[in-house]
Amino acid sequence: MPLLQRFWNSLTGAPARLALPLRVIVAVLWLGVLTLVGPATATAQAAPHIRATLLAEGPALPGQTVTMAVLMEPEAGWHGYWSNPGDAGLPLSLDWTLPPGAKAGELQFPVPQTLIVQGLMNHVYEQAYAVLVPVTLPADARVGSTLPVSARAQWLACTAQICVPERASLMGTITVGSGPKDTRFAAWRAALPARLDQPGRFEATPTGLALAIPFPASAQVRDPHFFIAAQGLVDYAAPQAFRRKGDWLIVELARAKGAMAEHPQSVSGVLSLGAGAGGLAITASPGMVPKGGTPLSGGTQTAFSWRTLALAMLGALAGGLILNVMPCVFPILSLKAMALARGNSRHARAEGVAYSAGVILACLALGAALLALRAGGAQVGWAFQLQNPGVVALLVLLATAITANFAGLFELPGLSVSRSGASAGTVGGAFGTGLLAAFVATPCTGPFMAAAMGVALVLPPVAGLAVFAALGLGLALPFLLIGFVPPLRRLLPRPGAWMDRFRRAMAVPMGLTVVALLWLAWRQGGWALMGAALALALVLLAVLVVVERQRRQGCRVVAWLAPVTLALVAAALLGAPRLAARPAAESAGLPGTVPFSQAALDRARASGKPVFLYFTADWCLSCKVNESVAIDREATAKAFAKAGVQVIVGDWTRADPAITSFLTIQGAAGVPLYLWYAPGAATPAKLPQVLTPQTLPDLAARAQQGS
């Protein structure tokens, strides 16, 4: 090994265009020697620089397909390679040993990264990554048995100075039957490029190839790079020029030096959308590539301007205003009603500013958390916090406290309408009310807001936060106007005994909010999660009753109330997710509805029939209203049956990286999203976020007439 090490190191002194290819040649020769010598040499190897492990996602029934993963974990400073390694390198290869009747599919690599070493472009993975492989079980496999699976794996591990061919005999098992899945596979599957459901085009240019990729004009992209699957066709290290033309993203690729004049029949590869943004798997056929367009400079869209930001902020402002009247924020209207009732206060302006500050701060905090998570590679979208069972349990506690306050069981600072309230009519109380209002209201997505949030996620961070601030301003604007416009305050009823009766009446919708949140907990984690959330709510209710009784007796309660509250919050945030391993069964929906996956969408579109694809979540009241009014109706079902419409639903109630990635590609930051695929159409029609009873039947009727 020391002699080979010195030989490899000596190669780094070769000319830049020669060093790495020589290293690859020697790597191939070494792999051949290892293959001939056999396991004895492998056992003499030092510990690998990339550790490989073979894992199964979970059990599978006879004849079904289970996903296997080869988890590759490089040491610090080392990297592995994509299927097309670029100017140098070797990808992972597997030689399977499977039970009779079993079959392994093609290797599925995640979106790679670029690495330039000595002027050569490499397509690599510098962190842990998983290569997925579908394995179909034998049809005659016995349920309850365990099938052994093994593979001889070979790969190349490199740093910037040295490359070492490595190999391992990987062993794994597959249980025949049913059972829980390995939760890590969701993230590994999300790291794969999403398959674009529309073909691209390419044509020869004097300098190489021009590739046109279908890409919605509303979807933004930063730092794109196209990883071509074919080897020896383009110059990997040459700069790639991108431009936008309508719903097309065009990339100019330089021809490889010495490449043959003939052009391929198709071009495939992966478009990386930037760090943490995922990628698209693309196949292109010969065709006309649009000319002109807006260039992208340095991977960042130069078309971004103050006009783009202004339009996004106006959309967010309008969306925030609409949130004040949409059904999805009805639970928060009780908080607003109480604040309006106190609008004749001498401190109306200060309270209006404080309330607005609380709303805007909450929107900024949620926006900053969302942008930070996406920058770190997480597949999350707007309202991501409600996909966490712990947050849902925490909201149950919050809604319980507000309900108890409205019912007169205790006084919650900021929501009191009596002069005895600890923070009634104070700036601090208004600020806290604003925080609560935004936290409960912002998960909803309404008209104007969806496009604005989609733009905010791809703008530079400061500009994106400005859009989130505009959303908060729109949500708070009615209260701000009431605080600064006296004629508006004079329109409000004068304070009186009616306010206490009104507060108690508001306990009814807030109590229904508690019930709705408990139902959401059941949908996310079954009876165990709902029961735990209900138990915590009852404990909190008892604590609040005792606190109010002692407060009226003049006793100090802060000393013991604070640790009890922290304990309940910790139990909700940390204990609830442990009980949410198995979500409740999915609702039926329209007849023939199938869960979303890219494969299901591909099959439905290939059938030549209309496809209605919609994305929903149980915590999205706008979604549920649309489903009740327009989707889950007998008239819609009959119209769809006549036209042969195939329905696919993506349930985003719990975090689903595949759905998040698809929403991002469509330029949407959250749900609801409604797409209509007409037969033969290249792109889907994006439907409004507010559906009427006739929206879908009319689409189905037009599709039937056109068939």
Side-chain angles (χ1 to χ4, degrees):
M1 187 67 179
L3 289 175
L4 288 171
Q5 192 93 349
R6 286 198 297 271
F7 178 62
W8 279 107
N9 289 332
S10 69
L11 291 177
T12 60
R17 287 284 170 182
L18 188 60
L20 287 178
L22 281 176
R23 289 157 56 191
V24 174
I25 292 172
V26 177
V28 174
L29 292 176
W30 193 4
L31 287 175
V33 171
L34 288 177
T35 303
L36 293 174
V37 173
T41 304
T43 58
Q45 280 194 135
H49 298 287
I50 301 181
R51 186 163 64 96
T53 309
L54 182 62
L55 303 166
E57 184 174 11
L61 294 172
Q64 290 187 347
T65 299
V66 62
T67 301
M68 304 288 292
V70 180
L71 177 60
M72 307 290 286
E73 299 174 286
E75 291 180 358
W78 291 78
H79 58 261
Y81 290 92
W82 186 51
S83 56
N84 177 0
D87 285 322
L90 289 172
L92 172 71
S93 65
L94 299 174
D95 183 12
W96 290 96
T97 300
L98 301 173
K103 181 181 179 181
E106 295 183 359
L107 276 62
Q108 301 173 2
F109 287 81
V111 179
Q113 306 159 315
T114 58
L115 176 66
I116 297 181
V117 179
Q118 300 181 12
L120 302 181
M121 173 67 75
N122 299 278
H123 306 153
V124 304
Y125 306 101
E126 297 183 287
Q127 291 83 32
Y129 62 101
V131 178
L132 304 186
V133 186
V135 175
T136 303
L137 272 59
D140 57 354
R142 182 172 55 84
V143 175
S145 63
T146 300
L147 303 180
V149 177
S150 64
R152 289 193 300 170
Q154 298 182 121
W155 64 90
L156 190 66
C158 292
T159 68
Q161 292 78 32
I162 186 172
C163 287
V164 178
E166 296 181 341
R167 61 181 295 174
S169 294
L170 307 179
M171 307 294 294
T173 59
I174 302 175
T175 301
V176 183
S178 58
K181 305 291 186 180
D182 189 330
T183 56
R184 293 174 294 178
F185 275 74
W188 295 339
R189 193 172 282 111
L192 300 177
R195 190 165 62 257
L196 195 65
D197 57 358
Q198 306 162 42
R201 307 174 189 166
F202 77 93
E203 64 181 7
T205 66
T207 58
L209 292 176
L211 177 66
I213 302 168
F215 201 79
S218 59
Q220 305 296 306
V221 60
R222 277 198 221 120
D223 300 324
H225 187 88
F226 184 71
F227 296 90
I228 192 167
Q231 298 188 20
L233 187 61
V234 302
D235 186 349
Y236 306 119
Q240 297 183 351
F242 285 86
R243 50 191 167 90
R244 299 293 296 269
K245 183 69 178 290
D247 288 328
W248 293 97
L249 178 66
I250 299 105
V251 55
E252 300 279 351
L253 303 171
R255 184 182 295 108
K257 295 178 177 61
M260 298 180 63
E262 294 83 2
H263 297 291
Q265 295 300 312
S266 66
V267 171
S268 61
V270 170
L271 173 68
S272 172
L273 301 178
L280 301 174
I282 295 156
T283 300
S285 302
M288 183 175 295
V289 174
K291 309 301 181 190
T294 303
L296 306 184
S297 177
T300 303
Q301 188 166 357
T302 57
F304 166 76
S305 62
W306 288 107
R307 181 176 179 274
T308 302
L309 177 59
L311 290 175
M313 292 182 66
L314 285 175
L317 182 69
L321 281 170
I322 294 175
L323 284 181
N324 286 279
V325 297
M326 285 188 64
C328 61
V329 295
F330 181 75
I332 206 64
L333 292 182
S334 53
L335 302 178
K336 294 177 178 289
M338 302 308 295
L340 284 171
R342 293 193 285 109
N344 292 311
S345 168
R346 291 178 302 172
H347 306 289
R349 291 188 178 184
E351 287 195 50
V353 171
Y355 177 86
S356 300
V359 172
I360 294 173
L361 180 62
C363 289
L364 283 173
L366 289 172
L370 177 58
L371 292 174
L373 288 171
R374 289 176 69 90
Q379 292 288 341
V380 294
W382 188 243
F384 68 97
Q385 69 273 19
L386 286 184
Q387 295 174 333
N388 186 326
V391 174
V392 174
L394 182 63
L395 283 173
V396 170
L397 296 181
L398 177 61
T400 299
I402 297 174
T403 302
N405 171 261
F406 284 175
L409 298 180
F410 88 111
E411 296 289 344
L412 181 67
L415 294 180
S416 175
V417 295
S418 67
R419 295 184 179 180
S420 62
S423 297
T426 68
V427 171
F431 179 79
T433 304
L435 289 174
L436 294 179
F439 186 70
V440 177
T442 51
C444 300
T445 303
F448 303 106
M449 182 178 161
M453 293 298 99
V455 173
L457 296 182
V458 295
L459 286 173
V462 174
L465 289 176
V467 177
F468 289 113
L471 173 67
L473 179 61
L475 185 60
L477 192 56
F479 280 87
L480 196 61
L481 292 175
I482 288 173
F484 279 83
V485 182
L488 293 178
R489 293 202 301 274
R490 287 194 290 269
L491 295 176
L492 299 174
R494 293 186 177 184
W498 69 270
M499 296 177 66
D500 187 65
R501 294 192 296 271
F502 179 77
R503 182 185 71 169
R504 295 180 185 277
M506 287 298 98
V508 175
M510 285 309 303
L512 294 177
T513 302
V514 175
V515 174
L517 288 169
L518 289 171
W519 172 79
L520 176 57
W522 171 75
R523 289 283 295 165
Q524 285 193 332
W527 294 105
L529 178 61
M530 189 190 77
L534 178 60
L536 290 174
L538 293 176
V539 171
L540 175 63
L541 189 62
V543 168
L544 294 178
V545 171
V546 173
V547 165
E548 181 62 18
R549 185 173 301 174
Q550 292 194 2
R551 188 187 66 81
R552 291 179 179 178
Q553 294 175 357
C555 301
R556 295 180 61 85
V557 297
V558 177
W560 65 270
L561 177 60
V564 170
T565 302
L566 289 176
L568 289 173
V569 170
L573 289 175
L574 302 178
R578 298 177 180 273
L579 300 173
R582 294 186 180 182
E586 298 292 336
S587 57
L590 287 171
T593 299
V594 299
F596 168 78
S597 69
Q598 188 62 54
L601 179 59
D602 292 343
R603 288 193 299 269
R605 296 195 64 192
S607 69
K609 298 179 180 179
V611 179
F612 175 56
L613 169 62
Y614 71 100
F615 294 90
T616 181
D618 288 334
W619 38 260
C620 173
L621 292 183
S622 296
C623 305
K624 295 306 170 186
V625 169
N626 280 329
E627 288 162 26
S628 175
V629 170
I631 299 177
D632 296 336
R633 299 176 64 246
E634 185 178 354
T636 302
K638 289 182 178 179
F640 277 13
K642 288 182 180 179
V645 178
Q646 301 196 31
V647 183
I648 302 176
V649 58
D651 190 346
W652 209 39
T653 301
R654 300 190 73 180
D656 188 322
I659 292 179
T660 307
S661 177
F662 189 89
L663 292 173
T664 301
I665 293 171
Q666 296 297 325
V671 292
L673 176 66
Y674 305 105
L675 300 176
W676 179 268
Y677 291 85
T683 58
K686 188 175 292 186
L687 305 183
Q689 288 193 319
V690 178
L691 302 178
T692 68
Q694 284 302 119
T695 300
L696 297 177
D698 288 348
L699 284 172
R702 286 198 293 269
Q704 188 178 9
Q705 292 173 0
S707 60

